[in-house]
Amino acid sequence: MTELYACKLAHINDTHSHFDPTPIHFNLSHLDKTLSLHTHTGGYARLGYQIEKARQQAIENQQNFLFLHGGDSFQGTLYFREFKGQANAHLLNLLKPDAMVLGNHEIDAGNGPVASFLDNIDFPLLAGNMDLSQESPNKPAKLKNHPNLLDLDPQTQTAKVLLKPFHDKTLAIIGITLDQMKEIARPDPDTHFIDAIKTTQKTVTKLKQQGIDHIIVLSHLGLTQDRVLAEKVPEISLIVGGHSHSLQGDFTSLGLSSLPYAETINTVPILQAGKYAETLGIVDIDFNAAGQVTRLKGHNYFMLNKQFILESAQGVTKEDYSWAKSQLENHSNILWDQKDDTVQSAIDTRYRPALIALEEQVINFIPKSLIHTRLPSQALPHGSEISPWVSRSIYHETRILDEKVDFALHNAGGVRQSLTKGQLTLAEVVGRLLPFDLPLVKYQIQGKYLYQAIESSINHATNNGVMGTGAGSFPYTYGLRYFYDGRRPLGQRITQLDLLIQEGEHLADQEAIWEAVKLDQYYVGVSSEYTASGKEGYQALQQACWQSAISELSLAEAFIQFMSKEQNMAQVLPLQVHYKSHL
C-alpha cells in the first residue's frame, strides 16, 4: 500500500493591515432582477477563529497542520498608518503562522520597518532570494543574520530553508519574493534581490540531493510568475502565493471571478487567497512519498456577516431577500462571522481607539459607488472610476501652488480600493483609499518622454511584450489624454497624446479643449515621488529637466483638500484613458 502524507493547510496573502471586516459587494441575478448585495467579510478575528478550528480538525484527523502567509501584511489601512507595523506583528503572532514570505510592501520604507517587524514576530520571515551579503555592518537597522529571517545563503546562492517534521519525512518551505523589488519598493541600497526562479531551482536541487522531497514554495511573485516557476521547476510539491491578489475559486454566482482553485502546472498546484483578509484558503492535501500532491480538496472562503443590505433598480421584495439569504447559506465557499475573542479584544482595546476620531470626520458624499480597477476591461473600458478623481485632485491642488502645472500622472497601484456610495470620511481616504501618503513632485519634461513613459508603463502593466511588475503601473492622468493601441509595434502604441487646455463648465468631454503634445516642447507635470522616481515602467520620467518636491502637499492631502471643497462626485470627467488591448 502506498503511504500518504496528509496535511491541512490554511493560507492568506496581501492582507494589508485589514484587521477589521472589509466591505464586500456581490451582484446576484434573480427573476430578471439584478440584485446588489452589500455586507462585510473577513478580518483578523474571523481569520483567527477559522484557522484555530482548522488546526484542531487537523489534530483530530492526524494530519500535519500549516498556516502560511503569502506576504504584504504591511500598508493598506489606518492601522498601519498609526502603528507602523507594531499591530501587524502583534496580531499575526496571535494567528500563529508557521511562516510568512517578505512582500514588496513590507519594504516600502526601506529596511528599518522590516528590522522592527523581525524583532517582534514569533515566526520566521522568509526571503530566500534577498541578498544581504553587502549589507553595511554599521547601519542601525541590520537584517543580516537576524534569527527570524531566512534570506539567501551567499556561499551556496541558495535560499535558507524552513525545515519541519512531516510524518516520517522532512518538509521544506522556501520563501521567494520579487527579484524586481528595487523597481516597485524601496529596499536599502545595500540590499539586493536575485533571480527568483534560478534561486528556487538551485535550492530545490540542493534539497533533493539531501533526500528532502516535500517542498513548498511560499511565493510573493504573483500568479503569472508562479505559473512560470511551476513550469521551470516541476520538482516543487506546492506553491502558496501572493502579490497579484488573485481570488481562486468559482464565485460567478456572486458576480465575482472564476479562477481555478489550486491551478496545477506540471503537477504543481498553485494556491492564492485574494486580498485584504477578505478570504481564507483551507485545503486538505495528500502527498506521496516522492513529494507529489496526489489529492487536494479545498476552497477559498469568505467569512460574512449574517446581515446584509440588498438593493436593486427594480426594487427589492421580502422574497428577494429570502432568496439572496438562501444563496449565501448554500454557497460552498462561504463561512460566517464567528470570531476569536482574544484577537478581537486586542484590536478593540489596543488599536481601534486611535482610529475612531478619523472615522468621524466626513469630507464629502459619494452619490454612487465608484469602482477601482487597475486595468481597463469590457465592463470598464476606460478603467478605474476613482483614479481619475485622484489625478484631478493632484492636478488642481498643485495648480493652486503653481499655475504652470500642465498635467497630473499617477499609477493605478497607488489607489487601493473602490469607493462605495455614502459619506467619505478622512479615515476612508488615508486608511484605505490612499494609504501610501506619498510626497508629490513637480517636474519639467519634453513631450517625447511623456509618450515613452505612458507606453512603457502600460506595457509593464499588461505584460505586452515587456516583462512587467504588475497591473499597478497602469497610468491614470488628468490634463493629459492618451490613446494606446497594444496591437501596434513597441514604440508606436501611443497613437495620440493631448494636453487639456480648458475644462468644460460641466466637465463633459465635448466641452473640453485639447491640444496635441509636441515631441520637442516642454511640459510641467506632477506625480507622486514613487512614480516620478521612474519605477515600474516610468523610467522616461527620469529624463526630466528638473524635479522639485512639493513640501506643502502629499498625495492624500491633495485629495482630501480637493474633496473638502464640496466637489460634485456625480460629474462626468473628461475621458483621458483610451485603451485597446493587445489581446
Side-chain angles (χ1 to χ4, degrees), residues 144-190:
K144 188 176 180 180
N145 299 323
H146 197 290
N148 282 336
L149 179 65
L150 294 178
D151 54 327
L152 180 77
D153 181 341
Q155 302 301 317
T156 62
Q157 292 293 290
T158 60
K160 297 173 186 174
V161 174
L162 177 63
L163 298 176
K164 299 182 78 68
F166 189 55
H167 301 279
D168 63 346
K169 301 278 187 178
T170 297
L171 173 74
I173 302 175
I174 307 169
I176 295 292
T177 192
L178 293 156
D179 47 31
Q180 295 172 307
M181 197 68 84
K182 291 194 176 183
E183 286 288 311
I184 62 172
R186 294 178 178 177
D188 288 0
D190 59 7

Coordinates of all heavy atoms in Angstrom, one line a residue, residues 144-190:
K144 N 20.9 41.3 8.3 CA 21.8 40.2 8.2 C 21.9 39.4 9.5 O 22.2 40.0 10.5 CB 23.2 40.7 7.7 CG 24.1 39.5 7.3 CD 25.4 40.1 6.7 CE 26.4 39.1 6.3 NZ 27.7 39.6 5.8
N145 N 21.8 38.1 9.4 CA 21.9 37.1 10.5 C 20.8 37.3 11.5 O 20.9 36.8 12.7 CB 23.3 37.3 11.2 CG 24.4 36.9 10.2 OD1 24.3 36.0 9.4 ND2 25.5 37.6 10.3
H146 N 19.7 38.0 11.2 CA 18.6 38.1 12.2 C 18.0 36.7 12.3 O 17.7 36.0 11.4 CB 17.5 39.1 11.7 CG 16.6 39.5 12.8 ND1 15.7 38.6 13.3 CD2 16.5 40.7 13.4 CE1 15.0 39.2 14.3 NE2 15.5 40.5 14.4
P147 N 17.8 36.3 13.6 CA 17.3 34.9 13.8 C 15.9 34.6 13.2 O 15.6 33.4 13.0 CB 17.3 34.8 15.3 CG 17.3 36.2 15.8 CD 18.0 37.0 14.8
N148 N 15.1 35.6 13.0 CA 13.8 35.4 12.4 C 13.7 35.5 10.9 O 12.6 35.5 10.3 CB 12.8 36.4 13.0 CG 12.3 35.9 14.4 OD1 12.4 34.8 14.8 ND2 11.9 36.9 15.2
L149 N 14.9 35.7 10.2 CA 14.9 35.9 8.8 C 15.6 34.8 8.1 O 16.8 34.5 8.5 CB 15.6 37.3 8.5 CG 15.7 37.6 7.0 CD1 14.4 37.8 6.3 CD2 16.6 38.9 6.8
L150 N 15.0 34.2 7.1 CA 15.6 33.2 6.3 C 15.8 33.8 4.9 O 14.9 33.8 4.0 CB 14.8 31.9 6.2 CG 14.6 31.2 7.5 CD1 13.6 30.0 7.3 CD2 15.9 30.7 8.1
D151 N 17.0 34.3 4.7 CA 17.4 35.0 3.4 C 18.2 34.1 2.5 O 18.2 32.9 2.7 CB 18.0 36.4 3.7 CG 19.3 36.2 4.7 OD1 19.3 35.3 5.5 OD2 20.2 37.0 4.5
L152 N 19.0 34.7 1.7 CA 19.9 34.0 0.8 C 21.2 33.6 1.5 O 21.8 34.4 2.2 CB 20.3 34.9 -0.4 CG 21.2 34.2 -1.5 CD1 20.4 33.2 -2.4 CD2 21.9 35.3 -2.3
D153 N 21.6 32.3 1.3 CA 22.9 31.9 1.7 C 23.9 32.3 0.6 O 23.9 31.7 -0.5 CB 22.9 30.4 1.9 CG 24.3 29.9 2.4 OD1 25.3 30.6 2.2 OD2 24.4 28.7 2.9
P154 N 24.8 33.3 0.9 CA 25.6 33.8 -0.2 C 26.7 32.8 -0.6 O 27.2 32.9 -1.8 CB 26.3 35.1 0.4 CG 26.2 34.9 1.9 CD 25.0 34.0 2.1
Q155 N 27.0 31.9 0.2 CA 28.0 30.9 -0.1 C 27.5 29.9 -1.2 O 28.2 29.6 -2.2 CB 28.5 30.1 1.1 CG 29.1 31.0 2.2 CD 30.3 31.8 1.7 OE1 31.1 31.3 1.0 NE2 30.3 33.1 2.1
T156 N 26.3 29.4 -1.0 CA 25.7 28.4 -2.0 C 24.8 29.0 -3.0 O 24.4 28.4 -3.9 CB 25.0 27.4 -1.2 OG1 23.8 28.0 -0.5 CG2 25.8 26.7 -0.1
Q157 N 24.5 30.3 -2.8 CA 23.5 31.0 -3.7 C 22.2 30.3 -3.7 O 21.5 30.2 -4.7 CB 24.0 31.2 -5.1 CG 25.2 32.2 -5.2 CD 24.8 33.6 -4.9 OE1 24.1 34.2 -5.7 NE2 25.2 34.2 -3.8
T158 N 21.8 29.7 -2.5 CA 20.5 29.1 -2.3 C 19.8 29.7 -1.2 O 20.4 30.4 -0.3 CB 20.7 27.6 -2.1 OG1 21.4 27.4 -0.9 CG2 21.4 26.8 -3.2
A159 N 18.5 29.5 -1.1 CA 17.7 30.1 0.0 C 17.9 29.3 1.3 O 18.1 28.1 1.3 CB 16.2 30.0 -0.4
K160 N 18.0 30.0 2.4 CA 17.9 29.4 3.7 C 16.4 28.9 3.8 O 15.5 29.6 3.5 CB 18.2 30.4 4.8 CG 19.7 30.9 4.7 CD 19.9 32.0 5.7 CE 21.3 32.6 5.5 NZ 21.5 33.8 6.4
V161 N 16.3 27.7 4.3 CA 15.0 27.0 4.2 C 14.5 26.7 5.6 O 15.2 26.3 6.5 CB 15.2 25.7 3.4 CG1 14.0 24.9 3.4 CG2 15.6 26.0 1.9
L162 N 13.2 26.8 5.7 CA 12.5 26.3 6.9 C 12.2 24.8 6.8 O 11.5 24.4 5.9 CB 11.2 27.1 7.1 CG 10.3 26.7 8.3 CD1 11.0 27.0 9.6 CD2 9.0 27.5 8.3
L163 N 12.7 24.1 7.8 CA 12.5 22.6 7.7 C 11.6 22.2 8.9 O 11.8 22.7 10.0 CB 13.8 21.9 7.9 CG 14.9 22.1 6.8 CD1 16.2 21.4 7.1 CD2 14.3 21.7 5.4
K164 N 10.6 21.4 8.6 CA 9.6 20.9 9.6 C 9.4 19.4 9.5 O 9.4 18.9 8.4 CB 8.3 21.6 9.4 CG 8.3 23.2 9.5 CD 7.0 23.8 9.3 CE 6.2 23.7 10.6 NZ 6.7 24.5 11.7
P165 N 9.3 18.8 10.7 CA 9.0 17.3 10.6 C 7.7 17.1 9.9 O 6.7 17.8 10.1 CB 8.8 17.0 12.1 CG 9.5 18.1 12.8 CD 9.3 19.3 12.0
F166 N 7.6 16.0 9.1 CA 6.4 15.7 8.3 C 6.2 14.2 8.2 O 6.8 13.5 7.4 CB 6.6 16.3 6.9 CG 5.3 16.3 6.0 CD1 4.1 16.8 6.5 CD2 5.3 15.7 4.8 CE1 3.0 16.8 5.7 CE2 4.2 15.7 4.0 CZ 3.0 16.2 4.5
H167 N 5.4 13.7 9.2 CA 5.3 12.3 9.4 C 6.7 11.7 9.6 O 7.4 12.1 10.4 CB 4.5 11.7 8.2 CG 3.1 12.3 8.0 ND1 2.1 11.9 8.8 CD2 2.7 13.3 7.2 CE1 1.0 12.6 8.5 NE2 1.4 13.5 7.5
D168 N 7.1 10.7 8.7 CA 8.5 10.2 8.8 C 9.5 10.9 7.9 O 10.5 10.4 7.6 CB 8.5 8.7 8.6 CG 8.0 8.3 7.2 OD1 7.5 9.1 6.5 OD2 8.2 7.1 6.9
K169 N 9.0 12.0 7.3 CA 9.9 12.7 6.4 C 10.2 14.1 6.9 O 9.8 14.5 8.0 CB 9.1 12.9 5.0 CG 8.8 11.6 4.4 CD 9.9 11.0 3.6 CE 9.5 9.8 2.8 NZ 10.6 9.2 2.0
T170 N 10.8 14.9 6.1 CA 11.0 16.3 6.4 C 10.4 17.2 5.3 O 10.5 16.9 4.1 CB 12.5 16.7 6.5 OG1 13.1 15.9 7.5 CG2 12.8 18.1 6.7
L171 N 9.7 18.2 5.7 CA 9.0 19.2 4.8 C 9.9 20.4 4.8 O 10.2 21.0 5.8 CB 7.6 19.5 5.3 CG 6.9 20.6 4.5 CD1 6.4 20.1 3.1 CD2 5.7 21.1 5.3
A172 N 10.2 20.9 3.6 CA 10.9 22.2 3.4 C 10.0 23.3 2.9 O 9.2 23.0 1.9 CB 12.1 21.9 2.4
I173 N 10.1 24.5 3.4 CA 9.4 25.6 2.9 C 10.4 26.7 2.5 O 11.3 27.1 3.3 CB 8.5 26.2 4.0 CG1 7.5 25.1 4.5 CG2 7.7 27.4 3.5 CD1 6.6 25.6 5.6
I174 N 10.4 27.0 1.2 CA 11.3 28.0 0.6 C 10.5 29.3 0.4 O 9.4 29.3 -0.2 CB 11.8 27.6 -0.7 CG1 12.4 26.2 -0.6 CG2 12.8 28.6 -1.3 CD1 12.7 25.6 -2.0
G175 N 11.0 30.4 0.9 CA 10.3 31.7 0.7 C 11.0 32.5 -0.4 O 12.2 32.7 -0.4
I176 N 10.3 32.8 -1.5 CA 10.8 33.5 -2.6 C 10.0 34.7 -2.9 O 8.7 34.7 -3.0 CB 10.8 32.6 -3.9 CG1 11.8 31.4 -3.6 CG2 11.3 33.4 -5.1 CD1 13.3 31.8 -3.6
T177 N 10.6 35.9 -3.1 CA 9.9 37.1 -3.3 C 10.4 37.8 -4.6 O 11.2 37.2 -5.3 CB 10.1 38.1 -2.1 OG1 9.2 39.2 -2.2 CG2 11.5 38.6 -2.0
L178 N 9.8 38.9 -5.0 CA 10.1 39.5 -6.2 C 11.5 39.9 -6.4 O 12.1 40.6 -5.5 CB 9.2 40.8 -6.3 CG 7.7 40.6 -6.4 CD1 7.0 41.8 -5.9 CD2 7.3 40.3 -7.8
D179 N 12.1 39.5 -7.5 CA 13.5 39.9 -7.8 C 13.5 41.3 -8.4 O 14.6 41.9 -8.6 CB 14.2 38.9 -8.7 CG 13.4 38.5 -9.9 OD1 12.7 39.3 -10.4 OD2 13.6 37.3 -10.3
Q180 N 12.4 41.9 -8.7 CA 12.3 43.3 -9.2 C 12.0 44.3 -8.1 O 11.4 45.3 -8.3 CB 11.2 43.4 -10.3 CG 11.5 42.6 -11.5 CD 10.3 42.5 -12.5 OE1 9.2 42.2 -12.1 NE2 10.5 42.9 -13.7
M181 N 12.4 43.9 -6.9 CA 12.0 44.7 -5.7 C 12.4 46.1 -5.8 O 11.7 47.0 -5.3 CB 12.6 44.0 -4.4 CG 12.0 44.5 -3.1 SD 10.3 43.9 -2.9 CE 10.5 42.3 -2.3
K182 N 13.6 46.4 -6.3 CA 14.0 47.8 -6.4 C 13.2 48.6 -7.4 O 13.2 49.8 -7.4 CB 15.5 47.9 -6.8 CG 16.4 47.3 -5.7 CD 17.8 47.7 -5.8 CE 18.6 47.2 -4.6 NZ 20.0 47.6 -4.7
E183 N 12.5 47.9 -8.3 CA 11.6 48.6 -9.2 C 10.3 49.1 -8.6 O 9.7 50.1 -9.0 CB 11.2 47.7 -10.4 CG 12.3 47.4 -11.4 CD 12.6 48.7 -12.3 OE1 11.6 49.2 -12.8 OE2 13.7 49.1 -12.4
I184 N 9.8 48.3 -7.6 CA 8.5 48.7 -7.0 C 8.5 49.0 -5.5 O 7.4 49.3 -5.0 CB 7.5 47.5 -7.3 CG1 7.9 46.2 -6.6 CG2 7.3 47.3 -8.8 CD1 6.9 45.1 -6.8
A185 N 9.6 48.9 -4.9 CA 9.7 49.2 -3.4 C 11.0 50.0 -3.2 O 11.6 50.4 -4.1 CB 9.6 47.9 -2.6
R186 N 11.3 50.1 -1.9 CA 12.5 50.9 -1.5 C 13.4 50.2 -0.6 O 13.7 50.7 0.5 CB 12.0 52.2 -0.9 CG 11.2 53.1 -1.8 CD 10.8 54.3 -1.1 NE 10.1 55.3 -2.0 CZ 9.5 56.4 -1.5 NH1 9.6 56.7 -0.3 NH2 8.9 57.2 -2.4
P187 N 14.0 49.1 -1.0 CA 15.0 48.4 -0.1 C 16.2 49.4 0.0 O 16.5 50.2 -0.9 CB 15.3 47.1 -0.8 CG 14.9 47.4 -2.2 CD 13.8 48.3 -2.2
D188 N 16.9 49.2 1.1 CA 18.2 50.0 1.3 C 19.1 49.7 0.1 O 19.1 48.6 -0.5 CB 18.8 49.6 2.6 CG 18.1 50.2 3.8 OD1 17.0 50.8 3.6 OD2 18.5 49.9 4.9
P189 N 20.0 50.6 -0.3 CA 20.9 50.4 -1.4 C 21.8 49.2 -1.3 O 22.2 48.7 -2.3 CB 21.7 51.7 -1.4 CG 20.8 52.7 -0.8 CD 20.1 52.0 0.3
D190 N 22.1 48.8 0.0 CA 23.0 47.6 0.1 C 22.2 46.3 0.2 O 22.8 45.3 0.5 CB 23.8 47.8 1.4 CG 22.9 47.9 2.7 OD1 21.7 47.7 2.6 OD2 23.5 48.2 3.8

